[in-house]
Amino acid sequence: MTAEEIRATLTLCLMASYADGEKHDREREQIREVAQGLAGDAQINLPGLYQDVLLRRVQLPEVLGRLASPESRQLAYEMAVCVCEADGHTSAKEDAFLAQVRQAWGLGGAHTTGGFDAEAQAVADAPLQAPLQAPLQTPLDASTAPATPAPRPAAADALPTTAAQRRPGSLPPAEMDRKILQASIMNGAIELLPENLSTLAIIPLQMRLVYQIGQSYGYELDRGHIKDFLATLGVGLTSQYLEQAGRKLLSGLLGKAGKGLLGGLGRQAVSSGMSFAATYALGHVANQYYAGGRTLSTDMLKDAYQHVMQDGQQLQARYLPQMQATARQLDTAKILSMVRGG
């Protein structure tokens, strides 16, 4: 894609993120931070795009007119759909926004866009109760396979707990650590894939991890509680998708097919460590929170999450060979089956 097409695609995504007009100030700030963080490419002034959208200095027809080829339009539309689905549902205003895009580009109804809308909704609505999928088994070269599991993050261990930590039926600490690491490797592997649906799948898999951790300590959680928990940590669903997809788009990865990209994607993953580190931190902080009887303050949770994120980013390179090996066995069909509980 040209720089102009990338700017138009990212502008469309930002417009989609505000289409429902219901963004909390906290989510607005997270989206602003994403735009700021992705501004490393001098050709793409993302903070400027963000201001244009927020202050309504740019209109939808103008943005759509900058995307002329069928391929760029399809990619931009799919990304906009995923932005709208990232928080688990598409509102009436978001539906109207997507319909306006389809009409302008002659894409027909939602049911005529290659089934992408329905698949994206199925991913976003993935059942929490389904089992987590362990990383696929691929033989690793002895020189790249990690000799020991990931260490327990000190920041998470520093959080106070109660007797609930070892309630009957809860997982032993080593098994819980393994569960969190496996989920982190799987989401890190998914981040290496170029498809939009793959990127969208990371969020419901993270929510499923939190659900299962809470369940192991006797808490039956619903989506609303898990979203609130993530928001307390500073994890916005829409902003997380924007950051993941934006990194891929700016690296020229989205919209391409074939697994030959994995070498370059590995380098990109080392630089960001987004999905592995975020899942790793989310799992360990959730484990301490529910083990401690949900008594931790907002400030304590946020502080622990940021510290464990740093641990995860340092560990990410260590587990990159496992993520790459897992990614080579994944495709969109397998990921759809995984998030649906297949």
Side-chain angles (χ1 to χ4, degrees), residues 1-330:
M1 298 180 74
T2 66
E4 181 65 19
E5 288 173 325
I6 292 174
R7 279 194 290 269
T9 300
L10 288 170
T11 302
L12 184 66
C13 288
L14 289 168
M15 296 179 83
S17 71
Y18 290 120
D20 59 8
E22 299 172 1
K23 285 288 178 291
H24 189 277
D25 287 345
R26 179 173 52 198
E27 183 77 344
R28 287 177 180 267
E29 176 62 18
Q30 289 173 343
I31 293 172
R32 185 197 65 79
E33 290 176 357
V34 167
Q36 193 72 43
L38 292 176
D41 189 328
Q43 292 182 303
I44 311 295
N45 179 15
L46 267 165
L49 299 183
Y50 171 84
Q51 289 295 325
D52 287 344
V53 170
L54 198 62
L55 300 177
R56 299 185 180 180
R57 293 192 295 231
V58 62
Q59 301 301 315
L60 183 59
E62 175 190 350
V63 175
L64 298 181
R66 299 175 191 164
L67 294 159
S69 71
E71 294 81 9
S72 64
R73 289 180 173 183
Q74 184 67 28
L75 174 60
Y77 176 75
E78 289 182 3
M79 288 185 67
V81 170
C82 289
V83 167
C84 293
E85 293 284 4
D87 59 359
H89 72 283
T90 303
S91 68
K93 291 181 179 178
E94 289 170 331
D95 279 334
F97 175 83
L98 294 173
Q100 192 175 353
V101 175
R102 291 195 302 270
Q103 182 177 14
W105 283 341
L107 297 177
H111 62 284
T112 65
T113 53
F116 186 87
D117 302 66
E119 289 180 337
Q121 184 171 347
V123 170
D125 292 339
L128 295 171
Q129 297 83 358
L132 284 169
Q133 178 79 32
L136 303 172
Q137 296 302 310
T138 299
L140 294 177
D141 185 275
S143 63
T144 59
T148 58
R152 177 183 290 272
D157 273 350
L159 293 173
T161 60
T162 70
Q165 183 166 7
R166 291 299 297 127
R167 66 178 293 277
S170 62
L171 294 176
E175 189 173 343
M176 180 63 78
D177 291 348
R178 189 179 308 111
K179 185 187 190 79
I180 293 169
L181 179 59
Q182 287 180 337
S184 303
I185 290 172
M186 177 58 73
N187 278 343
I190 291 173
E191 186 181 23
L192 299 181
L193 302 177
E195 296 85 1
N196 276 301
L197 280 177
S198 299
T199 308
L200 183 63
I202 292 169
I203 294 171
L205 291 177
Q206 288 175 336
M207 294 179 68
R208 185 175 297 171
L209 175 63
V210 174
Y211 172 84
Q212 295 193 2
I213 290 172
Q215 189 180 48
S216 74
Y217 294 108
Y219 297 104
E220 288 294 331
L221 310 177
D222 58 24
R223 290 181 182 276
H225 173 89
I226 295 174
K227 289 179 185 179
D228 288 343
F229 175 72
L230 266 64
T232 298
L233 299 182
V235 181
L237 303 181
T238 303
S239 56
Q240 184 179 182
Y241 175 82
L242 277 171
E243 182 165 2
Q244 292 163 342
R247 288 186 187 278
K248 292 183 180 182
L249 182 64
L250 290 172
S251 299
L253 304 173
L254 276 172
K256 295 183 178 180
K259 298 301 174 69
L261 291 168
L262 286 172
L265 279 166
R267 291 190 294 274
Q268 180 254 349
V270 169
S271 67
S272 66
M274 174 68 180
S275 298
F276 176 91
T279 306
Y280 181 80
L282 182 61
H284 279 289
V285 175
N287 184 45
Q288 293 300 309
Y289 177 63
Y290 295 110
R294 301 197 295 189
T295 59
L296 304 176
S297 70
T298 297
D299 288 342
M300 291 180 69
L301 287 171
K302 284 184 175 180
D303 185 63
Y305 180 76
Q306 292 303 319
H307 280 85
V308 183
M309 268 286 286
Q310 294 175 9
D311 292 339
Q313 288 170 337
Q314 293 174 359
L315 286 169
Q316 197 271 346
R318 174 181 173 183
Y319 289 97
L320 179 59
Q322 286 177 280
M323 288 181 249
Q324 290 174 319
T326 300
R328 290 188 179 97
Q329 299 181 66
L330 292 174

